[in-house]
Amino acid sequence: MITPLVATKLFVPKLRPGLIERPRLSERMRRGTQPKLTLISAPAGFGKTTLLAEWLAGTDSKKGVAWLSLDHTDNDVAAFWSHLTAALQNAATAAGADFPELAAAEQSPDTFVAQLLNALSALPIEIDVVLDDYHVIDHPGIETGLSFLLEHLPPQIHIVISTRADPSLPLGRLRARGELVEIRSADLRFTPAETSAYLDGATGLRLTASDIALLCDRTEGWIAALQLAVLSLKGRDDAATFIAGFAGSDRYIVDYLVEEVLQRLPDDIRNFLFHTCFLGRLRGPLCDAVTGGSGSRAMLDMLDRQNLFIVPLDDRRQWYRYHHLFADVLLAHLADDVRAELPVLHRRASDWYEQQGERFDAIRHALLANDLERAAGLIELAAPDTQKNRGEAILRGWSKLLPREIVRNRPVLGISLVGGLVSFGDFDGIEDRLHDVELALAKLASTASHEVVVVDEAQLPRLAGAVELYRAALAQVRGDVSGIIEHATRVLELAPAGDHVGRAAGSSMLGIAYWSRGSLDAASKAWRAGRDGLERAGHIPDVLGVSLALCDINRARGRLSEAIEVCEQALRLAAAQSGPTLRGTADMHAGLSDLYRERNDFHAAHKHLSRSEELGEQAGLPQHPYRWRVAAAQLRRDEGDLAGAIELLDEAEHLYVSDFFPPVRPISAMRTRVWIAQGRIDEALRWQRENALGIDDDLVYLREYEHMTLARLLLAQDSRSIDALRLLARLLDDATGNGRTGTVIEISILQALAHQSCGDANSALAAFERALLLAAPQGYVRLFVEGDERTVTLLKAALKRGITVAYTRKLLAAFGPMERIAPSHTDLIEALSDRELDVLRLLRSDLGGPEIARELMISLNTMRTHTKNIYEKLGVNNRRSAVHRADELKLLVRG
């Protein structure tokens, strides 16, 4: 379970007066900021946190410090990264830099860590990231993400981990690379000199050198034991006798000394400690509420002054916590009567937090009190805001803690917990939970209504529709498109008119079903209804997500202009919102980049792609890393960098995050199209075999893009044009009947090429004319240019017949060098620099852009600038044409 951000976890502990200076450790910490990781690993009570505070107090004030004190609630992926992001934002702000809003709970850990790395790389300042008490973390997802972060850490970021046990991180690899500094218990133990300095300053006793040496030997320099020994020595006349009888192992020392300390404390202080040691955070009014007394603020101040193992959590000393070791031992020494009181004490803490409006802490203490009925009621009240703020992970965590018998007769709570589970793809037991909700609703209308518990009655009217919505989601998981339509239709029948979010979700589910079937007109109508409902409800980030679906659908419908307007309208809506850039904005720019690329407007395409990259993944939906790379790959391909396109598609496939959109353009098929363009027919044929694709397959929309890719593969094989025509004829009938005009245009172009290959010029021109007439109003270009000289032949024939003359000339011009007069050879020799000739030479190879940059030992941006200059000087607009022109002009000497 995750909890909201706790600001007191982000405060660097203050140094206490009388601190013993330990220059040997401070110097080691300063040297340790050069490697990636400093690990401070030692058992409790060895002064790890104090060392960190001392080190940070002496660091350069221009550096940022991102401090995070971890506790058990952070052993959750979203909670951990959310708190770490908040710490980084605090550090950047304090150092005068900006750090973007990142939403860990709304996306996959891999995607979030990639976003975090991008944000860290862009920081203009150095930051020390301190993770204190890391031993509470053992979640594999957190450790995997932190390992990846360490592996790719920018040079201006340094991580310090303080822990009681070594973390499951690649310490061996870091150690071998010299990227790890380690400080362990042997380093942290007080030396005899440090022990003497501490005891002289802390006790006021005249201890002999032999007493000090004996105490140092008995405690082995363990700081916590020395602190407790000092407390035990105060007021004694028999210091030497006490020290002489002091023995035992670490834990026994602590137990012994705590008992000594507690026995010597006044009853009121001892009772206060025992009755508050279970609280993770301490504040005067909270402690008053828990103990049933008064004066807790004064008590906390006194404990702080007397150094009784209490740590201030904020600058104003309003919030404190006990030293963890001290709290652990206090809990272990609770008398039976106090231990029996713990549920009552937790309940009082829960009541206090609820009165302060801190519902999440109220829920936590109710759960710790095992007061599950109370916790259930509080969770029910917290659920709406939790859902609106995309806190599905919190709901999911609560669902794991509440037994079914508690939830069964709480329909409002039950449906909220279902939402948290479904949002994470956790469908196990969902049908049973929905059945419980329906039974509870039926009881409300019967004589058994007294058995049903409803705390948030305002949510009751939306429950019946919500049940149908989640049944639609279950149908989608099963691939039951008819079931999706049936249940989504019921959502719209049952959801109240004012439930904009519920009705929008129902409409969007219908849109998914129609889209999966290829009924794009109906899908577009449903998605528009969903978008409008979300806008009315003020869920603007979700509006952007729905706009992505509308963009993709309109493109398949052959409506590029409408797709562009959908994206631009969404951007205008996002820009009108106050606060940080909305998530989804980066996706809109990536979508626009691909649309303008299709229109051959490479300037606009690069502009939007760069803007998407500049905004970063923090302004993107979970699918943004995948979508951005696909758009970039398509642009690379059209500019002739086929190897670069393959690299990006491979990355996109690795970063793919599933959403509710049907996978209508699989990356494997996109990659196969690039292979075909590269002439790598064997790889393309392997893809066909692995996906069991054939010309006589039953046609379904979800495989339409793959079947059109198969048609391209057949055309690339000289003897398979007839087979391609058979497949294309079947695809054309299905696409035409369902209004998929974008698909019809592509199929018609491929049919024209197939007829041309078979020597049927009239049929080729008829198919090509159909493509031109459908494509001209929307400005399609790249679908035509993806062909080769055969497409140029068809364009010239269409031009002679007067078919869409202006548009046909535009398409011919897009082929570049085939229709232009080459500049003089002499001018080019003077115009191209030596470095541009080096780049041009490597453009003839199979190397991708990053590989060329590495080969020439230049940055990727510099390589792209050289490439752009080469294209301009040669009068071309893609890599293939540049190589062709270079060969024509004999610019390069073949090696």
Side-chain angles (χ1 to χ4, degrees):
M1 182 181 74
I2 72 170
T3 57
L5 295 177
V6 179
T8 51
K9 294 182 180 183
L10 312 181
F11 284 94
V12 179
K14 299 296 182 184
L15 289 179
R16 291 186 176 277
L19 183 76
I20 302 301
E21 292 187 4
R22 310 179 78 188
R24 62 187 177 88
L25 293 178
S26 298
E27 177 59 27
R28 191 152 176 197
M29 289 294 298
R30 280 192 289 273
R31 292 200 311 269
T33 58
Q34 297 305 314
K36 290 182 176 181
L37 174 64
T38 295
L39 177 68
I40 306 175
S41 181
F46 272 85
K48 299 184 291 295
T49 302
T50 302
L51 172 62
L52 288 171
E54 180 184 4
W55 163 61
L56 290 174
T59 57
D60 185 351
S61 60
K62 294 181 181 178
K63 291 179 68 174
V65 177
W67 178 281
L68 175 55
S69 295
L70 296 161
D71 59 39
H72 69 282
T73 64
D74 296 303
N75 197 32
D76 171 277
V77 174
F80 177 85
W81 294 114
S82 295
H83 273 106
L84 180 55
T85 301
L88 287 164
Q89 287 171 332
N90 282 359
T93 300
D98 292 326
F99 196 82
E101 294 283 345
L102 300 176
E106 300 175 22
Q107 51 203 303
S108 72
D110 288 348
T111 299
F112 178 80
V113 174
Q115 286 186 7
L116 186 61
L117 279 167
N118 289 341
L120 290 173
S121 299
L123 282 172
I125 59 170
E126 293 183 49
I127 288 186
D128 292 315
V129 181
V130 182
L131 303 176
D132 196 24
D133 291 329
Y134 187 81
H135 51 270
V136 300
I137 303 298
D138 61 9
H139 193 296
I142 296 175
E143 292 173 335
T144 298
L146 190 57
S147 296
F148 186 84
L149 186 72
L150 280 166
E151 192 72 24
H152 300 86
L153 200 66
Q156 73 272 31
I157 308 300
H158 171 237
I159 293 180
V160 181
I161 290 178
S162 167
T163 178
R164 297 182 188 178
D166 282 6
S168 297
L169 298 173
L171 300 181
R173 186 160 64 245
L174 292 169
R175 191 180 292 119
R177 294 175 181 171
E179 296 175 340
L180 172 66
V181 168
E182 298 172 85
I183 296 177
R184 298 189 172 274
S185 54
D187 307 299
L188 291 167
R189 294 181 190 276
F190 268 4
T191 64
E194 290 167 342
T195 301
S196 178
Y198 173 68
L199 291 173
D200 285 346
T203 64
L205 299 174
R206 294 186 177 277
L207 297 177
T208 66
S210 60
D211 286 339
I212 292 173
L214 183 58
L215 193 56
C216 181
D217 180 61
R218 293 289 172 87
T219 62
E220 297 183 345
W222 186 27
I223 299 168
L226 283 168
Q227 287 177 301
L228 287 164
V230 166
L231 290 172
S232 296
L233 282 167
K234 285 183 177 180
R236 284 184 179 272
D237 296 326
D238 57 344
T241 304
F242 172 81
I243 292 171
F246 180 41
S249 64
D250 283 354
R251 186 61 196 228
Y252 292 120
I253 289 173
V254 173
D255 287 348
Y256 169 68
L257 288 175
V258 168
E259 288 178 4
E260 283 284 315
V261 171
L262 291 176
Q263 288 173 4
R264 299 171 64 84
L265 289 174
D267 289 344
D268 60 334
I269 296 178
R270 186 166 56 247
N271 288 333
F272 181 85
L273 294 174
F274 281 139
H275 283 82
T276 58
C277 61
F278 68 93
L279 293 170
R281 294 182 297 151
L282 305 163
R283 188 174 185 176
L286 170 60
C287 293
D288 283 343
V290 168
T291 62
S294 61
S296 294
R297 173 60 189 268
M299 178 70 76
L300 292 171
D301 290 341
M302 184 274 296
L303 293 174
D304 188 19
R305 288 193 305 272
Q306 293 193 8
N307 195 21
L308 259 174
F309 296 92
I310 193 169
V311 180
L313 295 176
D314 57 25
D315 293 331
R316 298 165 60 190
R317 278 177 153 74
Q318 290 190 348
W319 285 96
Y320 296 86
R321 70 165 172 83
Y322 289 123
H323 187 292
H324 296 314
L325 178 65
F326 190 60
D328 289 347
V329 177
L330 285 172
L331 283 168
H333 285 76
L334 287 181
D336 290 342
D337 58 337
V338 179
R339 191 174 302 281
E341 277 189 87
L342 275 179
V344 175
L345 300 179
H346 276 296
R347 173 61 186 264
R348 291 174 183 172
S350 178
D351 289 340
W352 185 85
Y353 275 117
E354 184 186 10
Q355 291 166 11
Q356 304 307 307
E358 298 184 36
R359 198 168 273 157
F360 290 92
D361 280 306
I363 292 168
R364 181 169 64 87
H365 280 286
L367 290 168
L368 289 170
N370 202 32
D371 190 347
L372 300 182
E373 292 288 347
R374 172 177 170 74
L378 290 169
I379 291 170
E380 184 172 319
L381 291 171
D385 284 341
T386 305
Q387 288 175 316
K388 185 173 183 179
N389 294 321
R390 303 302 297 268
E392 292 92 345
I394 300 174
L395 289 169
R396 184 189 185 207
W398 285 331
S399 72
K400 304 294 185 183
L401 297 174
L402 292 177
R404 186 178 174 188
E405 56 268 22
I406 295 290
V407 181
R408 180 178 283 121
N409 285 320
R410 292 174 175 265
V412 174
L413 173 64
I415 207 68
S416 297
L417 298 182
V418 166
L421 292 166
V422 168
S423 66
F424 276 85
D426 188 350
F427 288 93
D428 289 344
I430 291 298
E431 184 59 57
D432 291 337
R433 287 177 178 266
L434 292 175
H435 183 64
D436 288 343
V437 171
E438 289 178 318
L439 285 178
L441 289 175
K443 286 182 180 179
L444 276 177
S446 73
T447 56
S449 60
H450 61 281
E451 298 177 10
V452 181
V453 180
V454 176
V455 180
D456 190 356
E457 294 187 358
Q459 300 298 318
L460 272 177
R462 58 175 287 271
L463 295 197
V467 169
E468 293 297 329
L469 177 65
Y470 295 126
R471 286 236 162 85
L474 284 171
Q476 187 191 28
V477 171
R478 295 192 294 265
D480 178 7
V481 176
S482 297
I484 300 174
I485 294 173
E486 175 189 347
H487 292 295
T489 301
R490 288 280 293 155
V491 173
L492 298 179
E493 293 171 355
L494 294 170
D499 183 10
H500 299 306
V501 174
R503 297 184 67 81
S507 294
S508 299
M509 289 299 295
L510 276 178
I512 290 170
Y514 293 137
W515 191 0
S516 299
R517 281 186 171 179
S519 304
L520 299 190
D521 289 344
S524 177
K525 181 180 178 181
W527 278 108
R528 284 199 307 271
R531 178 194 61 187
D532 295 345
L534 289 168
E535 186 173 350
R536 283 192 294 271
H539 286 227
I540 307 305
D542 292 323
V543 171
L544 270 59
V546 171
S547 296
L548 284 173
L550 279 171
C551 173
D552 289 348
I553 289 169
N554 281 317
R555 184 167 185 171
R557 296 168 75 205
R559 302 188 181 189
L560 291 186
S561 297
E562 195 170 331
I564 290 172
E565 175 55 26
V566 164
C567 290
E568 291 181 342
Q569 181 181 347
L571 286 177
R572 289 193 294 271
L573 183 63
Q577 309 304 308
S578 60
T581 304
L582 289 186
R583 296 183 67 235
T585 305
D587 302 82
M588 293 294 104
H589 283 289
L592 282 169
S593 173
D594 202 46
L595 292 167
Y596 281 114
R597 175 200 62 82
E598 179 54 53
R599 286 186 163 179
N600 213 45
D601 187 345
F602 287 117
H603 174 75
H606 276 293
K607 175 184 173 183
H608 283 289
L609 194 65
S610 296
R611 180 56 178 154
S612 180
E613 184 176 27
E614 177 186 329
L615 287 169
E617 294 175 11
Q618 65 271 11
L621 296 168
Q623 293 74 33
H624 176 262
Y626 149 77
R627 285 179 171 273
W628 187 91
R629 284 165 176 79
V630 168
Q634 302 289 63
L635 198 52
R636 290 275 187 91
R637 181 200 63 191
D638 286 354
E639 291 178 334
D641 184 2
L642 302 183
I646 291 289
E647 283 182 12
L648 283 164
L649 289 173
D650 287 344
E651 290 179 19
E653 190 169 47
H654 176 69
L655 293 169
Y656 178 75
V657 177
S658 178
D659 55 18
F660 285 104
F661 295 1
V664 294
R665 291 174 59 186
I667 291 178
S668 62
M670 295 184 204
R671 182 169 47 231
T672 299
R673 292 187 178 208
V674 182
W675 283 341
I676 293 169
Q678 289 178 311
R680 296 165 65 179
I681 304 303
D682 287 343
E683 285 96 329
L685 287 169
R686 186 180 69 245
W687 164 82
Q688 179 192 354
R689 290 192 299 271
E690 289 174 352
N691 289 275
L693 287 163
I695 61 174
D696 296 316
D697 293 343
D698 292 336
L699 299 184
V700 293
Y701 177 62
L702 291 179
R703 304 207 74 184
E704 183 175 78
Y705 187 83
E706 292 175 294
H707 279 118
M708 288 194 296
T709 304
L710 174 59
R712 289 179 179 274
L713 175 57
L714 294 171
L715 285 173
Q717 302 170 72
D718 293 336
S719 60
R720 303 295 304 275
S721 296
I722 295 295
D723 291 335
L725 283 171
R726 282 178 54 201
L727 175 59
L728 289 167
R730 298 175 62 222
L731 289 169
L732 181 64
D733 287 342
D734 189 61
T736 302
N738 286 285
R740 299 195 294 272
T741 304
T743 304
V744 171
I745 294 169
E746 182 174 359
I747 292 171
S748 298
I749 295 170
L750 296 177
Q751 282 183 318
L753 293 173
H755 284 304
Q756 185 185 50
S757 180
C758 293
D760 187 349
N762 289 332
S763 296
L765 195 54
F768 201 67
E769 180 179 353
R770 180 173 63 244
L772 288 170
L773 292 173
L774 290 172
Q778 298 296 324
Y780 280 90
V781 175
R782 299 313 305 180
L783 274 180
F784 292 89
V785 181
E786 280 185 37
D788 47 28
E789 306 81 48
R790 295 177 299 170
T791 309
V792 174
T793 302
L794 290 167
L795 285 168
K796 289 179 177 178
L799 194 60
K800 288 179 181 178
R801 293 184 56 173
I803 302 170
T804 60
V805 174
Y807 178 57
T808 302
R809 288 188 184 279
K810 178 181 178 181
L811 293 176
L812 278 168
F815 278 88
M818 297 180 186
E819 294 298 316
R820 296 184 185 179
I821 298 173
S824 71
H825 186 183
T826 304
D827 290 341
L828 285 174
I829 291 295
E830 293 175 354
L832 288 176
S833 68
D834 290 341
R835 182 53 93 189
E836 286 166 354
L837 286 170
D838 291 339
V839 173
L840 179 59
R841 188 172 292 109
L842 290 174
L843 287 175
R844 294 178 57 184
S845 70
D846 291 331
L847 297 178
E851 293 169 316
I852 292 175
R854 285 194 294 270
E855 181 75 17
L856 297 176
M857 291 186 290
I858 59 177
S859 72
L860 187 57
N861 284 336
T862 300
M863 192 280 297
R864 288 172 177 166
T865 299
H866 286 319
T867 303
K868 180 181 178 183
N869 292 339
I870 291 167
Y871 289 175
E872 290 177 353
K873 293 172 183 178
L874 293 179
V876 302
N877 61 10
N878 60 58
R879 180 173 179 169
R880 181 173 59 183
S881 299
V883 172
H884 179 72
R885 176 55 57 85
D887 288 341
E888 282 183 348
L889 300 176
K890 297 182 173 58
L891 291 178
L892 302 174
V893 178
R894 297 178 184 273

